[in-house]
Amino acid sequence: MSLKSFDKFCENLILKEPGSDKIILDERQKLIRSKILTETLVIFSGLSFINCFIMDMFYQWAETYAAPLLVFMFICACYYNIRCAAKGCLVGINGERSAKFSAGYCIFMGIMMSVKYAFTGDEEQRVLFADGKLTDNFCFLMVWILAIACGVLTFILIKHSRKDKGEDDEQ
């Protein structure tokens, strides 16, 4: 049994499980993804530290500490997807089904929650700034808009990576 047929056998063995949408990555993709994930977590940790330091020592620019951290999380998620797509490890060797599902789910949740915040009848919830601070409602609205942007960006990057793979296959 050749190495290529053994890899195909293992792929079929993993994917044939009912309800299994596991992403299969080769070793190069796993290493690059783990490095990018570590880099992204360091960036998120740095942003979190700077945010908490500024809010403790100088000026509390948001109502709570947690709401800006959610904004930073989605910014880091977009960064992670862009870096993975640039390095060629956004989509695994078994296709892009799981990545598309994640992107679609992100868009769906972003739209549903944005509609909730956009059409609320309470005028107090529509306030963007209060007492010189960003309100939590504004931060959460930014989070859901960033979720939509992250999902759309992921779809674009998947399409771009598929186009690049198609050009590679033709050569």
Side-chain angles (χ1 to χ4, degrees):
M1 181 180 257
S2 71
L3 187 58
K4 200 173 220 179
S5 63
F6 180 71
D7 286 343
K8 192 66 172 170
F9 170 75
C10 291
E11 179 182 337
N12 286 335
L13 185 66
I14 293 170
L15 290 179
K16 296 301 180 192
E17 295 175 12
S20 173
D21 276 342
K22 296 178 184 174
I23 187 167
I24 298 174
L25 303 168
D26 60 10
E27 288 302 315
R28 179 194 66 83
Q29 288 175 323
K30 285 181 186 175
L31 287 172
I32 292 173
R33 258 192 176 196
S34 64
K35 287 179 183 178
I36 293 172
L37 181 63
T38 304
E39 178 183 314
T40 306
L41 288 174
V42 166
I43 291 170
F44 178 73
S45 300
L47 285 172
S48 301
F49 175 75
I50 291 169
N51 175 55
C52 292
F53 184 76
I54 289 174
M55 288 180 74
D56 270 343
M57 298 296 175
F58 300 109
Y59 180 68
Q60 188 170 359
W61 59 277
E63 283 182 341
T64 62
Y65 286 65
L69 295 182
L70 289 172
V71 174
F72 297 152
M73 181 187 72
F74 272 100
I75 290 171
C76 288
C78 290
Y79 173 79
Y80 175 77
N81 286 338
I82 291 169
R83 291 276 292 148
C84 283
K87 295 289 186 173
C89 61
L90 181 66
V91 178
I93 60 174
N94 62 335
E96 63 267 350
R97 186 167 184 228
S98 61
K100 281 184 176 180
F101 177 78
S102 298
Y105 187 73
C106 216
I107 291 171
F108 174 74
M109 287 304 295
I111 289 172
M112 295 305 290
M113 295 308 288
S114 295
V115 167
K116 176 189 167 237
Y117 281 105
F119 295 113
T120 184
D122 190 12
E123 284 298 320
E124 193 173 295
Q125 293 223 350
R126 292 183 184 209
V127 176
L128 303 180
F129 297 96
D131 299 326
K133 301 175 188 176
L134 283 178
T135 62
D136 285 344
N137 292 322
F138 180 69
C139 288
F140 289 136
L141 183 61
M142 282 184 7
V143 164
W144 298 121
I145 291 170
L146 281 170
I148 294 169
C150 187
V152 170
L153 178 70
T154 304
F155 272 126
I156 291 169
L157 293 173
I158 290 170
K159 186 174 182 175
H160 189 320
S161 70
R162 188 177 349 147
K163 189 187 316 180
D164 286 347
K165 282 185 181 180
E167 291 173 1
D168 291 343
D169 292 342
E170 292 173 3
Q171 293 176 355

